[in-house]
Amino acid sequence: MTDSLPAGARLFLPPYLLERIASAGSAHLRECARHTLLVDQQFRARAGTATLPQGSARRGEPARYVHSAEQRQVLPGRLMRREGEGDSGDPAVDEAYQGLGATYRLFWEVYERHSIDDEGMALLATVHYGRDYENAFWDGQQMVFGDGDGELFNRFTIALDIVAHELTHGVIQHEAALAYVGQSGALNESLCDVFGSLVRQYQLGQSVDEADWLIGKGLFTERVAGRALRSMARPGTAYDDPLLGRDPQPDHMDAFVVTEADSGGVHINSGIPNRAFHLTAMALGGHAWERAGRIWYDTLVDRRLEQDSDFATFATLTLDNAERRYGATSQEATAVRAGWRRVGVLP
């Protein structure tokens, strides 16, 4: 199996959800899902074609540009808001702008990272992409958000962690470049969930006990029987809906899903490393971005993390980074080791 997407191209919504809707939804929902799947296939062939605007030369200051595709499939579209400008009055535009800023703040204020590439890369986003488009994606250069169908999915800018999740794909692209297939692909997805959750927790000032550890909360409409797209605390419990089915994520290696679909289960099996991070953060307490997040960030930028790294490789590196930063017998190293053991990755 090989990576089915071009370098850097990452879709937020798992294909298996859209395929269920395309086969069992109402006539309108089937059409929306089929159209989205078709657009996603076309996007794979032309990702990363936009020319980036000027970035930020001053460390600590982002350079944000939010465009509107105006329900067309054009990138980047019409510029609606740029760095320093006030609210546009368009909820999707302003949510994207705030989400880009919140993500930049976490990476800069906590990890001293100056944008996606650590060199001030412009944060470019397009909203209102296509008509009834049910996804969001990072295309290797920019963020793109659909408005959803209004029946199952709200606009994809509605959840801060979705914005942060997709931008983290960009950080991974510039660092480890984890191959988007199998366990390395699931690690790619998990890291995006980790930092997506941390951005929201940092924005809200939440402790590990106050956070809900949900990914995509608010994306589902009231018609869907579900809290969010994924749960980092309890993988496999985020939704259980007659149309969408049940959240398929495992929370332990004993239930690891072997599949050719979803690029080898990248969205499904990410629940295992997600839970390992959650367990580590809960054991350490306080704010997750401070110690657990630091260890995960140290590992993300660790030059020993190779493109085809599996769960065990990543886990071993997190443990080594915890020991290097905090000590071999530290609370941090103990929490990391226990977290990976409880999900069956470390013996």
Side-chain angles (χ1 to χ4, degrees), residues 205-274:
Q206 292 178 329
S207 68
V208 296
D209 297 309
E210 293 168 333
D212 60 24
W213 296 95
L214 297 173
I215 301 298
K217 183 179 180 180
L219 178 61
F220 290 146
T221 69
E222 293 181 355
R223 297 189 183 191
V224 177
R227 299 173 296 155
L229 191 62
R230 289 184 288 277
S231 169
M232 297 184 67
R234 299 177 61 203
T237 68
Y239 61 88
D240 190 355
D241 182 77
L243 175 56
L244 299 182
R246 184 174 181 176
D247 178 0
Q249 284 205 312
D251 65 358
H252 192 279
M253 286 301 291
D254 287 347
F256 183 89
V257 178
V258 178
T259 176
E260 292 291 313
D262 186 31
S263 297
V266 297
H267 291 94
I268 297 173
N269 291 313
S270 62
I272 297 170
N274 275 2

Side-chain angles (χ1 to χ4, degrees), residues 72-225:
R72 296 177 295 153
Q73 293 170 216
V74 296
L75 292 177
R78 183 160 67 96
L79 181 62
M80 301 294 291
R81 188 175 178 184
R82 62 189 301 165
E83 189 62 45
E85 294 180 347
D87 286 357
S88 69
D90 183 322
V93 169
D94 296 330
E95 286 166 350
Y97 182 87
Q98 296 300 331
L100 296 175
T103 305
Y104 180 92
R105 280 192 299 276
L106 173 84
F107 279 105
W108 170 250
E109 294 176 4
V110 179
Y111 310 117
E112 297 185 345
R113 186 179 189 87
H114 183 33
S115 195
I116 291 170
D117 61 352
D118 199 24
E119 296 181 357
M121 179 178 173
L123 301 178
L124 178 62
T126 297
V127 300
H128 303 309
Y129 183 77
R131 189 172 297 278
D132 296 328
Y133 178 63
E134 301 173 311
N135 222 332
F137 59 84
W138 164 260
D139 81 341
Q141 301 226 71
Q142 72 159 98
M143 301 277 308
V144 182
F145 302 94
D147 289 328
D149 53 44
E151 292 187 40
L152 299 177
F153 302 107
N154 291 308
R155 61 185 181 274
F156 279 74
T157 53
I158 202 166
L160 172 58
D161 48 71
I162 293 179
V163 181
H165 173 107
E166 292 302 314
L167 280 178
T168 303
H169 277 305
V171 176
I172 294 170
Q173 175 183 320
H174 284 274
E175 292 291 348
L178 289 164
Y180 204 64
V181 61
Q183 288 194 22
S184 60
L187 282 172
N188 196 314
E189 278 296 315
S190 175
L191 282 163
C192 292
D193 281 353
V194 164
F195 289 102
S197 182
L198 291 182
V199 166
R200 184 153 68 96
Q201 292 177 39
Y202 189 65
Q203 176 84 346
L204 297 174
Q206 292 178 329
S207 68
V208 296
D209 297 309
E210 293 168 333
D212 60 24
W213 296 95
L214 297 173
I215 301 298
K217 183 179 180 180
L219 178 61
F220 290 146
T221 69
E222 293 181 355
R223 297 189 183 191
V224 177

Side-chain angles (χ1 to χ4, degrees), residues 297-318:
Y297 181 76
D298 285 349
T299 305
L300 169 58
V301 300
D302 192 325
R303 293 299 174 228
R304 295 173 296 171
L305 183 62
E306 299 183 352
Q307 293 184 6
D308 61 351
S309 294
D310 60 11
F311 291 176
T313 299
F314 186 83
T316 301
L317 286 175
T318 59

